Amino acid sequence: MGSASTVRSETASEAVPPVPTRGLARMGRWLARRRLLVLLVTLAALVVAVPFGSDVESRLSEGGITVPASESALADELLNTRFEGGSPHLVFIAASDKDIDSAPLSSEGTALTEQLADEPGVVQSASYWTLGKAPALRSKDGTTGLIMVRLAGDEDQVRKTAARIVPEVVGDRGPLKVTATGVTAVRMEIEKRSEEDLTKAELLSGPLVLIILLLVFGSVVAASTPLAVGILAVIGSFVILRLLDMVVQVSVFSVNITTALGLGLAIDYSLFIVTRYREELARGRTVHEAIAQSVRTAGRTVLFSALTVAVSLSAMLVFPMYHLRSFAYSGIAVVILAALGSVIILPALLAVLGHRIDALNVRRLFRRNAKAAAARTDREGFWHKLAMAVMRRPLPFALTVAAVLVALGLPFLRAEFGDSDDRVLPASSPAHQGAQILREQFDNREGSPLNVVLPDISARAQSTELAGYAKQLSTVPGITRVDALTGSYSEGRQVASPGPASSRFEADQGTWLSVVSDTEPYSERGMDLVGTVRAQPAPGTVLVGGQAALLVDSKATLADKLPWALGLIAASTMVLLFLFTGSLLIPLKAIVLNLLSLTATFGAMVYIFQDGHLRWLVGDFTVTGMLDIDTPILMFCVAFGLSMDYEVFLLSRIKEEYHRTGDNISAVAWGLERTGRLVTAAAALVATVLLAFATSGLTPLKLLGVGLALAVIVDATLVRGILVPAFMRLAGRANWWAPRPLARLHQKIGLDD
């Protein structure tokens, strides 16, 4: 322990070693000399990028949650292309304070249904009034009727058609008051709310980020440079998303993570480079030499950190749903742009500013200045003292923190997963209110049936066997009615009234059945019903589709691909950190501690958003007893990448000191002190940007912001401040050990400068 007293403090009085002339240092000098050229090229690119990427949200797709080639996806594709039928995209709720069977209401309801049927892009429009007053489409109190509308085309075409006709229909229609809900109406409102909430989050987090940067740098000029790089990274990522959309489908919801990650990481990376630049100036280097040294050291760490974050995000590419893949596209793009902006554009900007980087120093208002802060020795800092305290008793500290994190993560063992429906919207949302009316006033889930497709059944089998199959399905518990070519069946008997989807069941070959239940599609009971229907004996090949079936297939696919994603993250982390450190133990430590830090985040997801606790703290939302199925995967990949980001910055300084002194304890304490204030500031900046999402009215966006912010805070405090020094103290020199063949390999291909 006594060796810690040898910890050094870099001050201007020390002899300053020359900066190497190769590699990144050479690039830094070139950027400093060609600063005006670099900035002019950046400005020209910005002039082109802003108009090109400004409308990216209107061009991206809103779907991508289905699993291509799954049974449910094939069923829905056949319904759309062969039968022009299936579940309704829109459900219009026509309400009055009178009996809907009265002549004026019947006339208005019929006219509205026929008007919708004549709209371009509408495949089918059927209602209570046009289907012989089907009881299933009439509310319990008799004052409300339903109009079911199915639209033509793919997800984007359906959205465009719905965006055109919904505003024309909703509102007062004579004696009827019409509200729109259904799958497409809900998704349209989610997209609109997402865009609005993203703008609100940016307006809220922007001033807070600037305040934190001012507190960190003390200078208006220095604080503005990371913010400028962050804005450039976000604009550039919009351009890349626009270009990618020309080649592959990209989800519009990827824009949310693009903005948060782009701003947060670009500021983080710039923060480290600007800090190193000011540090090198304080040591007496010239502007160009300070830039060269900053790019060589902090720039190298930034590039490596960006690589680890990008690899972590790339794990989402193993999943076939383009909704998740889009987050990988956008995340990787913005991480690369943030890193390149920090090591290319920022050095040129620093070369222009020179010593004016400290201009407009607000610390003078508080009688503080950078020289006073620099005079403090490394042994006097908070993080050095904390590291030494932990390393005096590493085992008790490590066991206590690990036990706390595991305890916080226990609620995740009872996590339940579903898909986003109307309940992710605020209670004031028209689509949410309409869906709630369906739950309360109607016994069946007419808007979300199971679609059972028999693609190869012959005409003879249709007449002889289909009726028996439909009757058999109608006896399954939870199924209230089965509509087929041969009629409608309930509880094993044929009923008089046809269902809303019974007008077009037949194609040149095959047929399909609409299976209506009284079960919420995204509930456990709804998913169990899918399995029961699929297990029933059938007169030929059967494909089961519908909302509940899509969720069942999504869960199965995610469970199948998740080990591959986790394996990719683990393997790439091991390889990259080995190349960075030359150690086998440090990569293993990083993986274990990162997983441990995420346990608290996933436990909080269940405790808050599944169970409904602490809503007063994060904002009100509808508790469904489930978590959105995609969000944990997205959160894991992003949070793991951010954790590795901070891990790399800390390890770079620890490794630098260890190679200089060979003293493990001294290196850990010095490295933590040198990065402590910066990583804390970086975490605060990222958490601020993410917590702004908690103001969203959308539950998944709120969950994403709160969960990721918590992960960042836990990693930057408990993990970095306690678990890392405790582990590295216990491991001692073994931290830097590798078998001789691997050590020789690292000497040849390692990422040392």
Side-chain angles (χ1 to χ4, degrees):
M1 298 293 292
S3 61
S5 62
T6 63
V7 176
R8 69 185 176 109
S9 173
E10 290 183 359
T11 65
S13 62
E14 292 180 340
V16 181
V19 181
T21 58
R22 64 185 187 279
L24 290 175
R26 183 179 180 181
M27 185 183 81
R29 289 189 180 91
W30 187 91
L31 291 170
R33 290 195 302 269
R34 302 289 190 274
R35 54 192 178 277
L36 293 181
L37 174 63
V38 173
L39 294 179
L40 286 174
V41 170
T42 302
L43 182 61
L46 194 61
V47 170
V48 176
V50 169
F52 183 77
S54 59
D55 64 341
V56 65
E57 288 188 75
S58 64
R59 296 176 178 271
L60 301 183
S61 304
E62 71 161 31
I65 61 174
T66 60
V67 181
S70 65
E71 178 178 333
S72 54
L74 292 174
D76 288 351
E77 182 181 359
L78 281 173
L79 284 170
N80 190 43
T81 57
R82 186 189 295 186
F83 300 99
E84 295 186 348
S87 304
H89 293 105
L90 297 172
V91 179
F92 290 101
I93 302 169
S96 176
D97 55 359
K98 298 179 181 178
D99 192 326
I100 59 172
D101 286 327
S102 64
L105 294 180
S106 295
S107 176
E108 185 64 36
T110 302
L112 179 57
T113 307
E114 293 172 350
Q115 173 191 329
L116 285 166
D118 292 336
E119 288 282 350
V122 174
V123 173
Q124 182 183 2
S125 175
S127 69
Y128 169 75
W129 299 279
T130 62
L131 289 172
K133 298 186 176 180
L137 304 184
R138 184 177 187 268
S139 64
K140 297 174 183 177
D141 62 5
T143 63
T144 303
L146 301 182
I147 305 173
M148 321 292 277
V149 177
R150 182 164 179 83
L151 307 176
D154 59 21
E155 290 175 321
D156 290 333
Q157 292 170 321
V158 165
R159 179 180 59 173
K160 290 176 181 178
T161 303
R164 173 173 49 83
I165 65 176
V166 167
E168 298 175 356
V169 174
V170 297
D172 293 331
R173 305 277 304 191
L176 295 174
K177 183 176 182 179
V178 181
T179 304
T181 189
V183 175
T184 301
V186 168
R187 289 180 180 172
M188 287 170 55
E189 283 201 36
I190 290 175
E191 181 182 350
K192 179 182 177 183
R193 174 72 67 161
S194 175
E195 185 177 350
E196 294 173 351
D197 289 351
L198 181 59
T199 302
K200 182 173 67 175
E202 291 170 349
L203 294 175
L204 178 63
S205 62
L208 295 176
V209 165
L210 187 55
I211 291 172
I212 295 173
L213 286 171
L214 283 173
L215 292 174
V216 173
F217 286 118
S219 161
V220 173
V221 174
S224 301
T225 51
L227 202 58
V229 175
I231 294 171
L232 290 174
V234 172
I235 294 173
S237 64
F238 286 169
V239 172
I240 290 181
L241 287 179
R242 173 87 184 270
L243 293 173
L244 279 172
D245 188 58
M246 298 178 180
V247 182
V248 295
Q249 285 184 299
V250 180
S251 171
V252 67
F253 299 107
S254 62
V255 175
N256 296 329
I257 200 67
T258 295
T259 303
L261 268 183
L263 193 60
L265 288 177
I267 290 175
D268 276 6
Y269 296 156
S270 303
L271 181 68
F272 281 92
I273 289 180
V274 172
T275 300
R276 188 68 184 239
Y277 170 70
R278 296 171 85 195
E279 199 175 287
E280 297 301 328
L281 287 179
R283 298 179 69 190
R285 295 192 193 275
T286 65
V287 169
H288 284 205
E289 290 300 287
I291 290 173
Q293 180 69 355
S294 300
V295 173
R296 186 182 78 87
T297 54
R300 171 179 168 273
T301 304
V302 162
L303 291 174
F304 184 82
S305 174
L307 181 60
T308 60
V309 176
V311 168
S312 180
L313 293 173
S314 70
M316 286 184 284
L317 294 175
V318 307
F319 300 103
M321 300 86 90
Y322 79 77
H323 176 73
L324 276 177
R325 297 171 72 92
S326 296
F327 288 114
Y329 300 146
S330 60
I332 293 170
V334 79
V335 168
I336 292 173
L337 287 172
L340 293 179
S342 299
V343 298
I344 295 177
I345 300 172
L346 182 59
L349 183 58
L350 292 176
V352 171
L353 293 173
H355 289 278
R356 294 187 298 275
I357 189 68
D358 291 322
L360 302 177
N361 195 323
V362 297
R363 283 180 178 165
R364 291 170 184 165
L365 300 175
F366 304 97
R367 298 182 180 180
R368 296 178 60 190
N369 53 58
K371 291 182 180 180
R376 185 187 63 197
T377 66
D378 292 322
R379 289 187 299 165
E380 295 173 344
F382 167 80
W383 292 102
H384 181 276
K385 293 178 180 178
L386 176 63
M388 294 303 297
V390 170
M391 286 190 288
R392 279 192 290 269
R393 295 179 179 83
L395 195 58
F397 274 103
L399 291 178
T400 300
V401 173
V404 169
L405 293 178
V406 170
L408 292 174
L410 288 177
F412 193 69
L413 295 177
R414 50 183 172 80
E416 299 289 344
F417 300 103
D419 215 336
S420 296
D421 59 13
D422 62 281
R423 292 170 293 181
V424 305
L425 290 163
S428 59
S429 160
H432 184 167
Q433 292 177 344
Q436 199 60 33
I437 291 173
L438 296 183
R439 293 187 185 94
E440 296 171 356
Q441 292 295 323
F442 295 83
D443 293 327
N444 301 329
R445 299 292 179 261
E446 298 289 339
S448 52
L450 289 177
N451 302 311
V452 180
V453 180
L454 295 91
D456 304 319
I457 191 170
S458 64
R460 176 176 297 179
Q462 286 181 14
S463 61
T464 59
E465 300 179 31
L466 185 61
Y469 180 55
K471 290 179 182 179
Q472 172 190 321
L473 288 179
S474 69
T475 62
V476 173
I479 294 178
T480 58
R481 192 182 72 252
V482 177
D483 298 330
L485 179 66
T486 54
S488 294
Y489 304 87
S490 178
E491 297 180 348
R493 65 182 187 276
Q494 190 164 2
V495 296
S497 299
S502 62
S503 57
R504 298 193 68 175
F505 286 100
E506 195 173 10
D508 294 336
Q509 182 182 20
T511 187
W512 65 283
L513 295 75
S514 177
V515 179
V516 181
S517 74
D518 59 2
T519 304
E520 193 74 37
Y522 293 150
S523 65
E524 284 294 333
R525 188 164 169 249
M527 290 183 282
D528 290 341
L529 186 61
V530 173
T532 302
V533 170
R534 286 176 171 173
Q536 297 296 308
T541 302
V542 169
L543 301 173
V544 179
Q547 293 179 40
L550 289 171
L551 176 57
V552 168
D553 292 343
S554 294
K555 290 183 72 172
T557 300
L558 292 175
D560 181 57
K561 298 294 185 181
L562 186 59
W564 292 97
L566 297 178
L568 174 62
I569 291 175
S572 59
T573 298
M574 286 291 298
V575 171
L576 290 174
L577 282 186
F578 168 74
L579 293 175
F580 187 65
T581 64
S583 164
L584 280 186
L585 193 59
I586 284 178
L588 284 173
K589 180 266 299 180
I591 292 173
V592 172
L593 295 190
N594 284 352
L595 291 175
L596 189 60
S597 71
L598 288 175
T599 58
T601 300
F602 285 100
M605 289 169 57
V606 173
Y607 184 76
I608 298 174
F609 292 95
Q610 180 175 305
D611 299 344
H613 301 293
L614 301 179
R615 277 186 287 175
W616 59 271
L617 183 61
V618 301
D620 196 24
F621 57 90
T622 301
V623 179
T624 63
M626 288 189 171
L627 299 174
D628 182 74
I629 191 171
D630 293 335
T631 304
I633 294 173
L634 173 62
M635 286 182 60
F636 179 87
C637 293
V638 174
F640 194 92
L642 291 175
S643 297
M644 289 303 303
D645 186 41
Y646 301 140
E647 179 83 11
V648 167
F649 282 113
L650 175 58
L651 284 175
S652 66
R653 281 302 181 105
I654 294 176
K655 179 187 174 187
E656 179 182 336
E657 181 67 4
Y658 182 76
H659 283 182
R660 194 188 74 86
T661 66
D663 190 324
N664 182 68
I665 296 174
S666 171
V668 172
W670 185 84
L672 193 60
E673 175 61 28
R674 277 291 175 176
T675 60
R677 183 167 169 267
L678 290 179
V679 172
T680 301
L685 289 165
V686 173
T688 298
V689 173
L690 292 169
L691 280 175
F693 286 174
T695 63
S696 172
L698 295 175
T699 304
L701 200 55
K702 188 189 296 289
L703 168 60
L704 187 66
V706 173
L708 288 177
L710 179 61
V712 167
I713 292 169
V714 169
D715 185 78
T717 54
L718 295 178
V719 174
R720 178 173 50 87
I722 297 178
L723 289 180
V724 169
F727 180 93
M728 297 193 77
R729 172 66 181 91
L730 291 169
R733 290 186 176 274
N735 284 310
W736 312 100
W737 174 84
R740 187 168 298 174
L742 289 180
R744 288 197 296 266
L745 178 65
H746 180 261
Q747 290 176 354
K748 293 181 180 179
I749 65 172
L751 298 178
D752 292 322
D753 183 52

